[in-house]
Amino acid sequence: DLTGDWSSDVCSSDLILPRKYYFNKFIEMLIMLSPIEGHPLNILFFQQYLKKLEMHKRDHLLSNIFYRGQADNRTLNNLISFCFSRAIKKTSKESLKYIIFMVSWSMCSSNLKYRKLAMKALTIALESQVELSEDLILNFKTVDDPYIKEGIYCSIYGFILRSNLKNKDLEKICQLVYDDIFMCDEVYPNILVRDYARGIIEYSYRMGCKMTFDIKDVQPPYRSKWYENIPSNEEIHNLNYDYRDDKVEREIGRAHV
């Protein structure tokens, strides 16, 4: 029975039987269902789980399922390909939003080739529905993964440069970007995220957009804090293990880091 608020109970022991070797299959199924509008197990359900995880735990989970490589995950491959197809223009706004959310989560990948492809796909998808860039920023506002933030802001910057947006649309986006990245005690401590965010606002400003904030607030220098403890060269060299050696215990390096 998929009626009612079934998704809130889906992880209870009465509905899902925990099995050690089926968990990955279950997550892969959630990826497959992620863009389906109205489904209780779409991306809105899946990301409730992802947002609760600490970044290192989320990375460990997704590294085994999300991005073993684009070719290894057929569903992600299909979503990326769909963004490049003409069918994207016929997709409902809600389903397209779910695709954008799913692709954005997948950009926690450290696979540079996949990340570039995902960012291009996201840029094209955003061109189809301008308003979704606002939903995208708000949805990932509290997500602590800098790789995801980089991918999102790079894609939004690219879509803005490729599109002929009205000033009122640019102003809405700029306000959300400012609130997310710059309106805080410490500007988001990632050089690429800050650069993309600054580029979005400065481009819009040059296009004649009116800002509710001082444009100088988005320009460096920023109020970044320096590291409290900087390791010595000797401490760094002590972590120099040959990870190609089967005798080396991988957990040793992780424990030190």
Side-chain angles (χ1 to χ4, degrees):
D1 180 13
L2 300 183
T3 60
D5 190 17
W6 189 65
S7 61
S8 62
D9 298 322
V10 73
C11 285
S12 70
S13 58
D14 294 335
L15 295 175
I16 291 181
L17 298 176
R19 290 292 184 271
K20 179 180 179 181
Y21 299 107
Y22 290 147
F23 180 72
N24 284 6
K25 291 290 184 182
F26 176 64
I27 297 298
E28 288 176 358
M29 182 198 70
L30 291 181
I31 299 173
M32 196 176 302
L33 297 174
S34 62
I36 302 178
E37 187 175 350
H39 198 286
L41 298 181
N42 60 25
I43 185 60
L44 298 182
F45 167 79
F46 188 25
Q47 69 177 12
Q48 285 180 2
Y49 172 69
L50 294 176
K51 287 182 178 181
K52 292 178 182 178
L53 294 177
E54 297 178 11
M55 185 168 66
H56 68 281
K57 293 181 179 179
R58 186 170 59 235
D59 252 6
H60 177 71
L61 167 69
L62 301 184
S63 63
N64 293 324
I65 301 171
F66 259 17
Y67 48 80
R68 287 169 291 186
Q70 188 197 6
D72 292 337
N73 197 308
R74 187 174 299 175
T75 306
L76 281 178
N77 185 25
N78 289 340
L79 289 179
I80 295 295
S81 298
F82 181 78
C83 291
F84 289 105
S85 71
R86 293 181 180 179
I88 195 172
K89 295 182 180 180
K90 301 178 182 179
T91 308
S92 70
K93 181 180 177 181
E94 201 68 12
S95 291
L96 184 57
K97 180 170 74 172
Y98 296 162
I99 292 173
I100 286 173
F101 285 178
M102 188 73 257
V103 172
S104 297
W105 279 109
S106 75
M107 287 193 294
C108 60
S109 171
S110 58
N111 184 320
L112 186 58
K113 182 178 180 180
Y114 174 77
R115 283 174 56 79
K116 286 183 177 180
L117 196 61
M119 284 187 277
K120 289 179 181 177
L122 194 57
T123 298
I124 293 173
L126 289 172
E127 288 183 56
S128 302
Q129 292 282 353
V130 175
E131 301 85 357
L132 292 183
S133 60
E134 300 171 26
D135 294 330
L136 184 59
I137 294 171
L138 291 173
N139 187 68
F140 287 90
K141 186 177 179 68
T142 59
V143 173
D144 58 353
D145 193 320
Y147 270 22
I148 294 177
K149 287 276 192 180
E150 284 177 18
I152 288 173
Y153 276 100
C154 179
S155 301
I156 293 175
Y157 191 19
F159 125 77
I160 285 176
L161 294 176
R162 286 165 55 96
S163 306
N164 187 22
L165 296 180
K166 297 179 181 179
N167 279 9
K168 65 177 183 178
D169 294 324
L170 287 173
E171 288 166 3
K172 288 180 182 179
I173 295 173
C174 287
Q175 187 62 54
L176 289 172
V177 171
Y178 178 79
D179 293 344
D180 185 28
I181 303 299
F182 299 104
M183 195 178 71
C184 49
D185 294 333
E186 181 182 11
V187 177
Y188 196 87
N190 181 290
I191 188 170
L192 289 178
V193 174
R194 294 188 302 202
D195 195 52
Y196 296 141
R198 177 181 59 83
I200 292 169
I201 293 174
E202 287 187 338
Y203 171 78
S204 302
Y205 181 74
R206 291 192 177 95
M207 295 300 292
C209 292
K210 296 180 180 178
M211 306 297 174
T212 61
F213 49 84
D214 190 340
I215 192 67
K216 293 181 180 179
D217 291 344
V218 307
Q219 298 170 340
Y222 302 112
R223 300 177 296 278
S224 300
K225 297 179 181 178
W226 192 243
Y227 301 100
E228 294 182 2
N229 298 310
I230 302 177
S232 64
N233 288 336
E234 183 179 351
E235 290 175 311
I236 295 174
H237 290 321
N238 288 335
L239 301 176
N240 187 22
Y241 299 101
D242 184 359
Y243 292 99
R244 292 169 297 183
D245 187 350
D246 293 335
K247 297 180 181 179
V248 173
E249 295 183 12
R250 268 69 174 167
E251 295 301 324
I252 294 178
R254 292 175 185 166
H256 278 82
V257 174

